[in-house]
Amino acid sequence: MRDIFVPDLDDADTGIQGRMANMLALLSLHDPDVRCHLDDCSIDPGFYSIRWLTTLLSREFLLPDTIRLWDSMFASTHKDNFMRYVCVCMVMIIREDLLKADFGTCLRLLQAYPPTDVEKLLESSRALWIYESQVTLACHKGGISLSQALTTIAPPPAVIMAYGLHGGLALDQIERMRQDMMQATSQGQRRFRSIGRNMTNTSATAGKSFFGNFFNSKSNSNKKS
């Protein structure tokens, strides 16, 4: 944190320029559409990220939410990564508003961040870090390509964007999920029809048994009389 305010360390990884560059690189990796749109709108990263990083987001959230963020940050063993992933997920959460906005609206959204669920923000940033770690490990240790890793490793549900994919899901993963849902629906319908037939047969058998006993007892009583 101290290095952010040391001019001689501005270009170091721990300095303000280095932290901004790392944050922008992470945004470019996981949400290139938003990064390109902000560039097209001439939104310099310094317009918002300097404020976010130097104040540890204390100006973006109410005091209880700020305390919740700081509590998680100080408990983290990777504090630099924590801030980087949280800031990138902040941009992702409002990505739909940013993508349809011009310079003025984008700047207002980023400099006066809208109210958001801090728990959701923390969960999204944690999920993104976990998913990226899993994919990186699979590529480096498993010797597979990035595309293979993205189609074999399921992202956590809280991921907003990852590697330019909504929810981190590749197209074939989405297709598999759609097919699984259709199969589950079809199985449910067959099970429901089977239960309906069993109930009908049971009701018919019970009706026959009841009325059969009724008429037999009626017949026996007539014979006795």
Side-chain angles (χ1 to χ4, degrees), residues 21-182:
N22 290 335
M23 173 186 159
L24 207 59
L26 188 66
L27 180 63
S28 300
L29 174 65
H30 293 301
D31 201 341
D33 290 342
V34 168
R35 164 67 196 280
C36 291
H37 180 71
L38 294 178
D39 286 345
D40 292 341
C41 291
S42 301
I43 300 292
D44 188 284
F47 291 166
Y48 59 95
S49 59
I50 290 178
R51 166 174 159 159
W52 290 4
L53 294 171
T54 55
T55 65
L56 297 179
L57 301 174
S58 61
R59 295 182 62 185
E60 315 311 317
F61 301 100
L62 297 174
L63 182 59
D65 292 336
T66 302
I67 292 174
R68 177 69 181 90
L69 279 168
W70 287 6
D71 183 60
S72 297
M73 181 186 68
F74 292 134
S76 173
T77 56
H78 302 283
K79 295 178 178 58
D80 292 338
N81 276 336
F82 178 89
M83 282 299 297
R84 189 158 56 106
Y85 281 83
V86 167
C87 289
V88 167
C89 285
M90 285 174 62
V91 177
M92 291 180 180
I93 286 175
I94 59 173
R95 70 182 308 274
E96 298 302 329
D97 294 327
L98 291 172
L99 288 174
K100 60 186 180 184
D102 57 8
F103 173 85
T105 306
C106 285
L107 194 61
R108 185 169 63 254
L109 286 168
L110 294 168
Q111 290 188 341
Y113 196 76
T116 190
D117 186 344
V118 171
E119 294 298 333
K120 176 184 176 183
L121 173 61
L122 290 172
E123 182 61 26
S124 298
S125 60
R126 179 177 178 273
L128 181 62
W129 181 80
I130 290 174
Y131 184 52
E132 183 185 325
S133 301
Q134 292 174 337
V135 170
T136 302
L137 184 65
C139 293
H140 291 176
K141 299 294 185 180
I144 62 177
S145 65
L146 177 61
S147 59
Q148 289 176 316
L150 294 178
T151 54
T152 54
I153 301 174
V159 169
I160 301 171
M161 291 287 296
Y163 300 98
L165 303 171
H166 288 273
L169 292 172
L171 292 178
D172 56 344
Q173 285 180 305
I174 297 175
E175 180 62 23
R176 284 202 302 269
M177 289 177 62
R178 188 183 68 83
Q179 292 177 355
D180 291 342
M181 289 177 64
M182 292 178 61

